[in-house]
Amino acid sequence: MARRPNLLAFLAAASLGAVLVFGATATLDDYVLSIIQFVGINVILAVSLNITNGFTGLFSLGHPAFMTIGGYVTAIMSLDPKRKPFLLPDLPEWLAASHLSFLPALVTGGMVATLVAVVVGFPVLRLRGHYLAVATLGLIFIVQGLAINLDGYTRGALGLNGLPELTSLWWVYGWMLLTLYVCWKLKHSSLGRTMLAIRENELAAACLGVRITRTRILSFALGAFFAGVAGGLWAHLVTLITPSSFSFLFAFQLVVMVVLGGTGSITGAALAGALLTIATEALHPVEEAMGLFGASQVLLAVAVLLVLVFRPKGLFGMAEPDLLAWVGKSPGREPTPAGSKRQREV
Amino acid sequence: MRTMLSTVMAAAAVIGLVASVPQARAADPIKIVALYNLSSGGLASIDGPSLNGAKLKMKEINDAGGLLGGRMIEITAIDTKNDLKEAATGAKRGVSMSGVVAGIGHSDTTFALASAPLFQAQGIPFVTSGATAPDLPGMIGDEMFMACFGDDVQAHAMAEYAYNTLGVHTVVVWTDNAMDYTKGLSKYFQDRFTQLGGKVLLNDIYMTEDKDFSALVSRLKANPDAQAVFASSGPDTAGIIIKQIREAGINLPILGGDGYDTDLISTVPGPDLSNDVYFTTHAYVGLDTGPANTFRTGYQTAYGVPPENAFAALGYDAMGLVADAIKRAGSTDYAAVTKALAETNGYEAVTGNIAFKNGSHVPSKPVAVMYVDHGKVSLKTTVTPES
């Protein structure tokens, strides 16, 4: 019963967001809008990375690889068939003729990323320890290498450019809401609980009948899906994608967002994602004025160190602070079960 | 619920208020956006002079009283940081500035392909100063104009010069596989060279970020019959290639395109190794025309150095082309400026006369063949294509 006002508050926040999106698209110029969209995309990425790195306690660096896959697949699927022979003359017949609208193209991109995650996850996630970090790091380079050398599909190192500007603030907002909603539901479902159980104590979870490998693969694949979609959104916002668009440095930025926000906290990851994106963008003019290129990266690293020293749990730890309650003004809610409202004891 | 409703209402009211404030449109200056890689990468060595050239032209026009009855030109330079994402978002920032009439910029095809489509989408004309792929206007659309010749022209000029004048009949070709420009240049060179009867012994590829060319050098050594190497390279690798070929004791002539028109070809290998290099570039050095002389003295006075390379002249010409079109259009309306640009005929540019004939947006212009000896660049000859 405690869930109902929660949903109401979520809907209220979502509609308030929609009003803001409407206002923003009506008043702001393209450049500011694109920054807001980058914020939204990074929120999607941080929150979806949180499923593996936060909930299940696996250390994945694979998001850039999934974004590259999602980006290329979405771009190839949604490209105008009239432009395809120009850009990609060696594309196989069935791909050259296919033309999907944006939504199915994004979903296809996400699905292909998911498929790759399952294939990679199947052998790796059966092992104990930090094998996933190494494997996903390798995956970034494998995907990059493939993108450079699969000339017929990707136009090699040149990348695909002049893509149609399909991504709008509405698309980003919609996917962001979906990501937040799915993650929220997941965290408070029995599946989410088994993920948390695996993170806390793998052996104990296995003794309770949790199928460890299956749950891990599921969480890894779900994160990959949203990363793939975010890659598609990114490519059609920037209007191009190249093999080097998403480097492994980007993976670290995403990990930083999750760590800063609090590993396992959806609110934390979302807030850290938004704040870091805005901060990097706002520091650009400062960097330019002082001639200190790269200063924003240094500040980011210092911030991470400070958080790790003084607040190892991140901003919110595992908790979901009642931000929605401020919007919905629903006082006196019963605390949701373990892990979300109560701080975990360390 | 009531408080929530009022919050929403208040937010909506605030947004409505913001929306109703009329967009301030400065009627006075004519804004031109210039997109260049200024802070990093080898392209900065040719993009920087381009921007200086464009700014010089702006100053000259403004000093002479501006355009359209005293309106001043104002160039907003956006640094694209040698990053395609920055080029695309920079273009987005440019087209959303109020009062922008046209965009200029870029000395590389890949970058022009990233940013120019955003101008095309808004119907704003874009004149590239130095992106040389001749199919650029075809790929982007009717708002895309080039102030420079196409790669087909310069590659054909080099092929003919090598075959007929240097007597080179067998070559090894190196191509940077990560740039549209270098791939196109190699293709056009080989087409013409084999057509003339020459033979390409080996086609080798590398990537822009490569620093070690020893594998390519040893494959070059394995072809003792080669009489020259055509290294299709951008400014990033041109100097490194010269250095490593010469360090390996190979004295073959090195041939290249306008990507070599940077001081990096003498500073990176050092003057002792920078020898026997031929490259094609945009003509202005050998031209003794009125505009070319005005440009040379103007650049010297404004920046205290002679023009670094032909790209300075191209930036000057791109700005000049846009200004000329605005003057003829008599307005800053996008469509009128585009139409006037397309009708450009016999504009006296520093790098040769520019005319967009038969609906083509690529001008036919003379090509300069340059020769490098001990780091010193000198003009060998100027080739004027027929038609």
Side-chain angles (χ1 to χ4, degrees), chain B residues 211-214 217 239-248:
Chain B
K211 298 277 178 284
D212 178 14
F213 291 85
S214 51
V217 168
I240 308 175
I241 286 174
I242 297 172
K243 181 172 195 258
Q244 298 195 6
I245 288 180
R246 292 293 178 249
E247 273 177 352

Side-chain angles (χ1 to χ4, degrees), chain A residues 51-91:
Chain A
I51 302 175
T52 38
N53 291 33
F55 296 174
T56 322
L58 299 161
F59 193 81
S60 163
L61 291 169
H63 260 40
F66 300 129
M67 287 177 77
T68 308
I69 294 168
Y72 271 108
V73 171
T74 312
I76 293 170
M77 298 312 287
S78 64
L79 205 61
D80 188 350
K82 272 184 250 133
R83 268 206 75 203
K84 269 185 193 169
F86 226 18
L87 211 54
L88 299 164
D90 302 328
L91 214 57

Side-chain angles (χ1 to χ4, degrees), chain A residues 12 16 19-20 23-24 26-27 29-31 34 38 83 86-87 148 151 155 157-158 161-162 165 234 237-240 242 284 287-288 293 327-329, chain B residues 3-4 7-8 11-12 15 18-19 23 39 79 81 84-86 88-89 92-93 95-96 110 113-114 117-118 121-122 138-139 177-180 183 207:
Chain A
L16 179 68
V19 172
L20 284 176
T27 53
D29 69 46
D30 266 6
Y31 174 62
S34 67
F38 281 123
R83 268 206 75 203
F86 226 18
L87 211 54
I148 290 175
D151 239 329
R155 223 166 74 90
L158 305 171
N161 41 30
E165 267 187 285
W234 192 97
L237 170 60
V238 179
T239 67
L240 60 90
T242 65
H284 271 326
E287 276 184 350
E288 274 167 32
F293 294 100
V327 182
K329 293 266 188 220
Chain B
T3 35
M4 193 191 81
T7 319
V8 173
I15 288 158
V18 172
Q23 292 257 317
S39 61
D79 179 11
K81 297 179 188 168
L84 289 174
K85 182 198 160 207
E86 295 287 341
T89 49
K92 214 169 256 184
R93 199 165 109 204
V95 295
S96 54
T110 309
L113 279 171
L118 294 149
Q122 304 288 328
M139 285 170 86
N177 218 17
M179 288 173 85
D180 290 281
K183 284 172 97 167
M207 296 285 166

Side-chain angles (χ1 to χ4, degrees), chain B residues 48-215:
Chain B
S50 289
L51 180 62
N52 283 345
K55 282 188 166 160
L56 175 64
K57 184 71 187 179
M58 170 188 80
K59 192 170 156 288
E60 285 178 8
I61 295 169
N62 289 348
D63 287 351
L67 290 172
L68 305 179
R71 289 175 66 180
M72 294 292 141
I73 295 179
E74 193 182 300
I75 291 182
T76 309
I78 294 178
D79 179 11
T80 52
K81 297 179 188 168
N82 207 24
D83 179 346
L84 289 174
K85 182 198 160 207
E86 295 287 341
T89 49
K92 214 169 256 184
R93 199 165 109 204
V95 295
S96 54
M97 285 174 188
S98 67
V100 166
V101 180
I104 58 171
H106 289 312
S107 312
D108 180 61
T109 306
T110 309
F111 278 89
L113 279 171
S115 57
L118 294 149
F119 284 83
Q120 173 73 32
Q122 304 288 328
I124 303 175
F126 187 89
V127 180
T128 178
S129 51
T132 40
D135 40 10
L136 215 42
M139 285 170 86
I140 289 165
D142 56 348
E143 302 292 347
M144 179 80 207
F145 295 88
M146 288 163 67
C148 46
F149 51 60
D151 286 327
D152 48 349
V153 174
Q154 65 165 326
H156 290 182
M158 179 49 88
E160 283 157 21
Y161 186 79
Y163 192 87
N164 297 331
T165 312
L166 298 179
V168 169
H169 291 179
T170 49
V171 289
V172 167
V173 176
W174 289 9
T175 308
D176 182 344
N177 218 17
M179 288 173 85
D180 290 281
Y181 156 67
T182 46
K183 284 172 97 167
L185 192 69
S186 275
K187 185 181 146 284
Y188 295 121
F189 175 82
Q190 293 180 52
D191 285 352
R192 188 76 186 122
F193 192 71
T194 46
Q195 200 182 22
L196 288 167
K199 208 169 155 220
V200 178
L201 299 177
L202 173 71
N203 245 311
D204 231 337
I205 56 162
Y206 65 94
M207 296 285 166
T208 314
E209 59 266 28
D210 286 357
K211 298 277 178 284
D212 178 14
F213 291 85
S214 51

Side-chain angles (χ1 to χ4, degrees), chain B residues 276-297:
Chain B
D276 213 12
V277 178
Y278 295 84
F279 66 88
T280 49
T281 191
H282 312 269
Y284 85 93
V285 179
L287 299 183
D288 191 27
T289 57
N293 291 327
T294 320
F295 164 71
R296 269 191 285 266
T297 47

